[in-house]
Amino acid sequence: MNEDLTAMTGASGALVLVLSAGGSLCAWEREGSLGREWALYERLGGTYERIIVVSDAGADQTEREREIAATLRAALVMNEDGTERAAHLARLGEMVRCAIGGEPRSVVVKTNQHSAADAALAIVSGLERSGVDAALVARGGYLWTRFVAHELGAESREFAECASRERELVRRADVVVGTSRSMLEDLAWRDGLAAEKLRLIPNYVLAGDGTGAQARAREHGLLLYAGQLSRRKRVDLLIDATAMLAHSGRRVMLEIRGEGPERASLERRARETGAPVWFGARIPHRELLDRMRTCWTYVQASSLEGHPKTLLEAMSVGTAVVASEAPGVSDCEGVERDRTAVLAPPDAGSMAGAIARVLDDAAFAARLGERARACVRERCSLDAVTELELEAHALAIHRSGARRGAARGGSSGSSGVVVVDGAPPVRWDPALIGAERAEMVRCWERSLNGFAKRLEPRKRAEFLAELDTYVYSMQGEAAIAAGGGIHPKHELMRYHDFFVERVGAGERVLDLGCGIAALASSIASRSGARVTGIDWSEKNLERAREVIARERAPVSLVHGDITSDRAPGEFDVVVLSNVLEHISDRPARLRRWREWYGSPRFLIRVPAFDREWRVPWKKALGVEWRLDLTHETEYTL
């Protein structure tokens, strides 16, 4: 297959590796994973004359990013001068074309993760406009949309956006590569992908020659975890389980290697539970493998995985593994209950019991590790994965050529996209991003007008009315971003006056759902009141602290859900600014807040349903009519 691919690409074939959103060679280096991540491309260097890395590093990392790329003997394309992202995407295809040089016979563009969709599609479009044949391999180590839904919810705008980008990428791709069958099955039925364009290529493991496990004595009682310190990883369960084991009289130590937002809270939990835990920084991949060979058990309690690379690496060096049952782990090829790993329900007691099995039975632990080692090395060795990778690239080049031939011949042959919702996705050229504003507007206006005029009048009205709802929402988000994080209504509409003019100096004010505290800061600064703000979003509160510091406003903040969490104290005034319409069971909530806070005065502002004709018109048409898709109601006077 290597020879076949070389023949297809010719002597001047090029591989373009597009790193994930926010991904960079510097990030791989910081994480200690540069050698591991590059091992595959070092192998592929014998097939391609040039490998180009498209990095999403910041401009401040340019020098180090270049140094690493030079060490890897790879060409580098990145946003070196900090150009605005839209403009950078518009020129990305041309930049990659320059990096390839010469007259390549064909080029393979491959994503490292699906979050690289925008860049990869812009590159393919740009290369094809310049006359270069580009085959697209949409590789993902995990299902991007599944992780966003897990973290932010399937109803979130972030999920909708990444689902759209992922769908466009995999439908446009010549080959879609996933690391697990469940990932590919999800993509196939959800995005209507033909089976022949899907390829299963697991993450590979680099475990050396296999002698380390036998040469090193394992430390009985040493538990090891390496990875992110985030909520999804549920490291708190490991700490609690370790505390239970220690309290039962077993000699154990949990070594945690990693960084993340939960580090401080996990350290605090270890102190509170009395768990014997040691926290250490990330270490290079080779050192981590050595540590895996030394520990007694590798433990993991993640709530969701794509294809658990670190877990498989521990298995590959003969370490007994204990993991919680979770998507991406329980269904991972190679993870077989009580044969290659011990799986437990995701609670501390069950995890402690599973770890105890491995600690108390050395023979069982050894059998577990040896079976895991043989299984993972057979399925996930670098040799095996390299062969699968070369086959996928060859297939992508073949399918790309067939697609271009069909397009030139006017054939309606299958492109690998099955339309499941009755209409193909709307496509636009990334070059439009770099156009002047007036040209952008004219292009979109002509396109929408041309489409809408083809609809019969009632359907046209319904389409334009519902589209307006989403455009209005996008306008609000764009206005906030352009305004530095604060909606322009605060200034343009003298929005705060209603509240400020009704609050006196020294009064105690509670702002329910305070957001970024723009209104709370204004009330405190202008009226002399003592203001408390409460909001459920830690992200909002982080921004609120910046606003308060800048305004030097006497505002205190509380993190909590206003419908269930009570802010401490009593208040003279309760403020609800564009909040009440987002809440269900509003009369009961108002009564509860009155009882909680003893406030004689509530100041409430909500958007008006009938402030202009379009909202009532949308409701009459029977389309989405709410001013905001998160509103539970719209108010009339």
Side-chain angles (χ1 to χ4, degrees):
M1 182 56 69
N2 195 326
E3 293 78 5
D4 294 343
L5 181 57
T6 302
M8 285 183 170
T9 61
S12 59
L15 172 63
V16 181
L17 173 63
V18 190
L19 299 186
S20 55
S24 66
L25 300 175
C26 287
W28 281 352
E29 183 181 55
R30 284 194 306 272
E31 295 163 3
S33 62
L34 180 62
R36 176 177 71 180
E37 297 292 350
W38 193 253
L40 173 64
Y41 302 100
E42 189 172 6
R43 291 280 187 95
L44 296 179
T47 300
Y48 292 98
E49 182 179 77
R50 301 213 78 185
I51 295 181
I52 295 94
V53 175
V54 180
S55 167
D56 199 25
D60 59 330
Q61 296 178 317
T62 298
E63 184 176 350
R64 183 56 188 153
E65 199 79 354
R66 284 177 177 172
E67 292 172 353
I68 299 173
T71 301
L72 301 176
R73 297 188 297 278
L76 177 68
V77 172
M78 62 177 290
N79 189 359
E80 297 185 9
D81 52 9
T83 302
E84 194 273 328
R85 180 168 178 77
H88 174 64
L89 285 174
R91 65 177 188 171
L92 196 51
E94 181 182 351
M95 294 170 68
V96 170
R97 179 67 184 88
C98 292
I100 293 171
E103 295 297 330
R105 180 174 174 182
S106 61
V107 175
V108 173
V109 178
K110 175 193 172 183
T111 60
N112 182 52
Q113 300 289 357
H114 287 170
S115 61
D118 290 350
L121 291 169
I123 290 166
V124 170
S125 176
L127 289 177
E128 292 185 341
R129 282 199 306 273
S130 67
V132 176
D133 296 339
L136 178 57
V137 176
R139 185 266 181 188
Y142 58 90
L143 190 56
W144 183 31
T145 41
R146 182 185 291 170
F147 276 66
V148 173
H150 181 79
E151 295 289 339
L152 302 174
E155 302 302 319
S156 67
R157 181 169 297 278
E158 290 86 350
F159 173 79
E161 289 176 355
C162 82
S164 175
R165 291 161 62 193
E166 187 174 71
R167 181 178 300 113
E168 178 70 5
L169 174 70
V170 298
R171 286 184 169 183
R172 168 60 183 82
D174 297 294
V175 170
V176 176
V177 171
T179 52
S180 69
R181 295 187 189 281
S182 62
M183 174 184 175
L184 291 174
E185 288 168 358
D186 278 1
L187 287 170
W189 72 259
R190 190 181 64 190
D191 296 325
L193 306 182
E196 59 265 24
K197 75 184 292 183
L198 305 176
R199 285 297 179 270
L200 173 63
I201 304 180
N203 285 317
Y204 56 87
V205 297
L206 300 176
D209 59 8
T211 60
Q214 291 77 25
R216 296 173 184 269
R218 293 191 178 274
E219 299 179 27
H220 189 270
L222 177 59
L223 314 178
L224 175 65
Y225 165 79
Q228 298 174 352
L229 304 185
S230 63
R231 290 186 180 182
R232 178 174 62 84
K233 293 293 188 176
R234 296 193 298 206
V235 182
D236 56 318
L237 290 185
L238 300 179
I239 293 174
D240 292 351
T242 303
M244 292 178 181
L245 291 167
H247 295 156
S248 72
R250 290 179 175 84
R251 296 186 63 182
V252 292
M253 170 63 72
L254 173 61
E255 180 178 329
I256 296 175
R257 291 280 183 179
E259 301 292 340
E262 298 295 304
R263 173 76 178 251
S265 65
L266 292 172
E267 289 177 338
R268 185 167 57 250
R269 193 179 194 104
R271 290 193 298 270
E272 292 171 350
T273 60
V277 179
W278 183 82
F279 288 85
R282 297 188 186 102
I283 52 178
H285 181 250
R286 188 178 298 276
E287 293 180 29
L288 178 60
L289 288 176
D290 285 342
R291 200 67 184 129
M292 288 174 170
R293 293 185 177 103
T294 305
C295 73
W296 190 263
T297 308
Y298 185 83
V299 291
Q300 180 174 292
S302 177
S303 61
L304 175 66
E305 289 290 330
H307 190 248
K309 186 184 298 184
T310 309
L311 195 73
L312 293 170
E313 286 174 335
M315 295 167 66
S316 75
V317 296
T319 304
V321 162
V322 175
S324 64
E325 297 166 339
V329 176
S330 304
D331 55 354
C332 175
E333 293 87 355
V335 176
E336 301 175 26
R337 186 185 300 273
D338 289 346
R339 185 176 184 277
T340 63
V342 178
L343 301 180
D347 63 83
S350 298
M351 290 294 292
I355 295 169
R357 287 181 62 194
V358 178
L359 290 175
D360 296 346
D361 189 341
F364 173 60
R367 288 195 305 273
L368 204 67
E370 188 55 35
R371 290 169 182 159
R373 176 179 172 276
C375 180
V376 171
R377 290 185 178 225
E378 177 185 358
R379 298 174 186 229
C380 301
S381 70
L382 181 57
D383 287 341
V385 169
T386 300
E387 187 65 22
L388 293 173
E389 186 82 10
L390 290 169
E391 291 175 2
H393 292 201
L395 177 62
I397 292 171
H398 172 75
R399 289 177 59 83
S400 174
R403 173 171 47 79
R404 290 191 302 274
R408 285 192 294 269
S411 169
S412 59
S414 172
S415 65
V417 175
V418 179
V419 178
V420 294
D421 56 2
V426 176
R427 303 182 188 275
W428 50 275
D429 195 317
L432 184 60
I433 293 175
E436 295 293 329
R437 184 185 70 252
E439 182 182 353
M440 291 187 219
V441 172
R442 281 196 300 273
C443 287
W444 280 106
E445 185 278 329
R446 284 198 300 267
S447 178
L448 282 170
N449 194 30
F451 174 78
K453 283 185 174 179
R454 286 168 170 79
L455 304 175
E456 55 89 13
R458 173 75 185 196
K459 192 171 183 179
R460 184 195 318 164
E462 292 171 348
F463 164 72
L464 292 172
E466 187 153 356
L467 180 64
D468 175 73
T469 297
Y470 292 92
V471 172
Y472 177 82
S473 178
M474 288 187 284
Q475 287 172 339
E477 289 186 359
I480 292 170
I486 298 177
H487 200 293
K489 69 183 179 182
H490 292 285
E491 178 180 356
L492 298 176
M493 301 172 64
R494 301 188 63 82
Y495 184 86
H496 297 177
D497 289 1
F498 167 78
F499 301 94
V500 172
E501 292 168 0
R502 290 165 174 79
V503 173
E507 288 194 303
R508 299 163 301 171
V509 178
L510 176 63
D511 187 357
L512 293 174
C514 65
I516 64 169
L519 175 59
S521 296
S522 187
I523 293 173
S525 300
R526 293 170 56 188
S527 72
R530 291 173 293 163
V531 182
T532 298
I534 178 172
D535 200 276
W536 69 272
S537 168
E538 184 58 42
K539 184 176 180 180
N540 280 348
L541 294 181
E542 289 177 6
R543 182 77 178 91
R545 294 182 189 102
E546 298 173 5
V547 172
I548 291 167
R550 186 178 66 241
E551 300 295 329
R552 298 181 179 179
V555 176
S556 59
L557 298 173
V558 177
H559 183 211
D561 182 345
I562 64 172
T563 66
S564 57
D565 299 326
R566 180 176 179 177
E570 293 188 346
F571 300 89
D572 303 302
V573 183
V574 171
V575 166
L576 287 154
S577 171
N578 282 18
V579 168
L580 196 59
E581 66 273 16
H582 293 270
I583 296 172
S584 61
D585 200 15
R586 291 169 294 281
R589 306 286 188 200
L590 287 166
R591 284 192 294 270
R592 175 183 294 178
W593 293 327
R594 175 68 177 81
E595 294 168 0
W596 277 1
Y597 303 120
S599 305
R601 191 158 77 258
F602 277 64
L603 298 179
I604 301 172
R605 177 166 180 158
V606 294
F609 165 79
D610 48 2
R611 63 181 171 181
E612 61 144 315
W613 65 274
R614 286 186 299 171
V615 176
W617 175 60
K618 292 175 195 176
K619 188 173 184 181
L621 283 174
V623 303
E624 179 55 67
W625 54 275
R626 293 170 294 171
L627 293 168
D628 184 310
L629 300 181
T630 65
H631 284 187
E632 292 285 338
T633 188
E634 298 290 355
Y635 282 98
T636 62
L637 184 59

